[in-house]
Each structure stands twice: as structure tokens, then as C-alpha cells.
Amino acid sequence: PYYLESSQMNNIEYFFFNQKIRRNNKKLLKYYVPLCVNPNYEQKYLYFAASYQPEAVTRTNAGVYEDQFLALDILAAVLPKGWIIYYKENPTIFDASGITWGSFRRDKYYYQRIQSYDNIKMLLADVSTFDLIDNAQAVATVSGTVAWEAAVRGKPSLSFGSAWYMGCDSIFWIKTLQDAKDAIEKILAGFKPDAQDIERYTTAIEKVAVKGMIHNNFDDNIKKCENPEY
């Protein structure tokens, strides 16, 4: 039982546990890389930024779309003929430090399933996100920050989860297959995010947000910046 002290790993056990995770993450990367293609920015495509798992963004915020294949099924079904989906894995999945558990939620069968889609291609995890956003027809995520980044850069974006930015009218909140169909139709008709809408939403968020960042050693690192207040 998890609540018993005897069920917990001691420091040595935890060390070897992390070493095993580290090896598994590295093995996973070796399997993933040969399956990837180079992005063709002349091709019409939707950029799908995969989420790191296990993580709160998908465990709690995404609902049923914690299973990313549900999102991929919908996107693959509504995509216009001639478009493809570029799937880019979250780099943290392959982290070799031993402190992230990507190989708990990914394996070779996961990537084999992605390969089974006719209109999905995988990309190396280190391909520039901003290059992919800027050249995409649309961007999609389960509930990651990339949907906001895309909207700010003037690109249509779709998000399946209940993320902090979902109150912004310039981002499509996809709950059903029909929502995705409607979003793609609007994108094909020329929809672009409204810069004023995004600015108003940013202002509203700033008024209620806590100043600072949830990041390791943020208070120390910010002091090293040339302009900490900025």
C-alpha cells in the first residue's frame, strides 16, 4: 500500500530507479529519431505540439484528451485534403537526467501507432517551434503553451484542454469533432487571431496573475539579468 513507509523506496533504490528511467528515455530517443522527417515549409500543414506526460497539464486540464490519440484522430479526420500533420514530440520526453519519466507514457508501440496515420509525419524534437508555427496553416495542442504562442504570432490555433488561455476568443477550444470541423472551416475561410483581443486578454490575465515564475531558482537567476525588473 502506498501509504506504508515500507512501500517507499530508500535513497539507493530511488537512485537506481532514476538510472533505469534515464536509460529508458535514451533508448526511446534512439527509436524515435529514425522515424522522423525534415519539415517541408512549402507543404500545407498543421503543427501538433505533443505534451510531456505524465504532467498536470494533461492529467487534470485535458480531460479525455489526456489520451492524445483522441485529439490526433479528430485532427486527422478533419484536415483538408493535401494537408499533413507535423507531430513534434516534447523534448522532455527524452530527457536523460533521470528526473523526468517520459518513457512511462511513451514506447515504440506509441510511435508505431502514429506512423499508422496516412497524414501524420513525425519531426525531431529539436526542430524550432517558432519556425514550425510561422510556416504552419494552423497549430494544435492538447493544452500546451504553444496555442498561445501561435495566436500571439498571428497563427490560428486549436487547443483541446482547459488551459489558462481558453478565455481568449482568438483561440479555438476543441471539445468535439464538430468543433474541430468548424474551426478548420473558419481557418480555410481566412480566420486570423485578433491582435486587439489577444492584448485585452493579456491585460486581464496580468491583473489577476501572481508576479513571478514557477521555475527552479527563479529568484536567483533573475538577479543575473541585465534588467531584472523588465
Side-chain angles (χ1 to χ4, degrees):
Y2 77 93
Y3 52 83
L4 292 183
E5 189 173 340
S6 59
S7 297
Q8 300 175 13
M9 288 182 278
N10 60 36
N11 288 341
I12 292 176
E13 290 170 333
Y14 188 62
F15 170 79
F16 284 112
F17 169 78
N18 279 337
Q19 290 304 304
K20 185 173 183 180
I21 295 298
R22 179 173 173 269
R23 289 195 300 271
N24 287 345
N25 288 359
K26 291 174 72 175
K27 285 182 189 176
L28 195 61
L29 178 61
K30 286 184 179 179
Y31 183 81
Y32 178 80
V33 169
L35 305 178
C36 295
V37 301
N38 292 322
N40 176 7
Y41 295 125
E42 301 301 318
Q43 164 83 51
K44 288 187 176 181
Y45 67 88
L46 178 145
Y47 165 40
F48 183 85
S51 297
Y52 169 71
Q53 293 176 303
E55 188 178 52
V57 169
T58 51
R59 287 290 290 176
T60 59
N61 296 9
V64 295
Y65 295 109
E66 178 190 358
D67 179 357
Q68 294 191 117
F69 282 114
L70 292 178
L72 290 174
D73 285 345
I74 288 175
L75 293 171
V78 302
L79 217 61
K81 189 174 182 180
W83 287 31
I84 62 170
I85 296 171
Y86 276 145
Y87 173 102
K88 187 173 86 106
E89 188 57 275
N90 191 298
T92 311
I93 289 288
F94 306 119
D95 183 75
S97 66
I99 61 173
T100 63
W101 298 1
S103 53
F104 274 16
R105 294 299 300 271
R106 301 286 195 273
D107 56 26
K108 66 179 182 179
Y109 303 107
Y110 183 96
Y111 297 126
Q112 286 173 2
R113 183 171 172 184
I114 292 178
Q115 278 193 302
S116 70
Y117 291 87
D118 292 332
N119 56 353
I120 299 182
K121 304 293 183 184
M122 286 179 277
L123 301 178
L124 294 173
D126 59 1
V127 175
S128 167
T129 287
F130 294 128
D131 285 347
L132 288 169
I133 290 173
D134 291 343
N135 291 282
Q137 274 59 53
V139 174
T141 178
V142 168
S143 52
T145 309
V146 69
W148 176 256
E149 293 170 338
V152 168
R153 297 171 81 88
K155 290 290 180 175
S157 58
L158 301 77
S159 182
F160 290 79
S162 180
W164 62 269
Y165 50 71
M166 293 320 304
C168 181
D169 292 335
S170 289
I171 298 175
F172 293 106
W173 191 351
I174 309 301
K175 301 177 185 177
T176 65
L177 176 64
Q178 189 60 50
D179 289 341
K181 288 179 178 177
D182 294 342
I184 293 297
E185 285 181 7
K186 290 179 181 178
I187 291 169
L188 290 173
F191 170 86
K192 297 292 182 185
D194 184 335
Q196 289 186 336
D197 173 47
I198 292 169
E199 188 164 341
R200 284 193 299 267
Y201 192 78
T202 305
T203 301
I205 287 291
E206 186 179 26
K207 288 180 178 178
V208 299
V210 175
K211 187 175 182 180
M213 289 183 67
I214 302 175
H215 189 278
N216 291 338
N217 303 318
F218 174 76
D219 290 336
D220 293 329
N221 289 327
I222 196 66
K223 295 173 185 175
K224 301 174 185 177
C225 294
E226 184 176 342
N227 187 339
E229 181 60 29
Y230 175 77

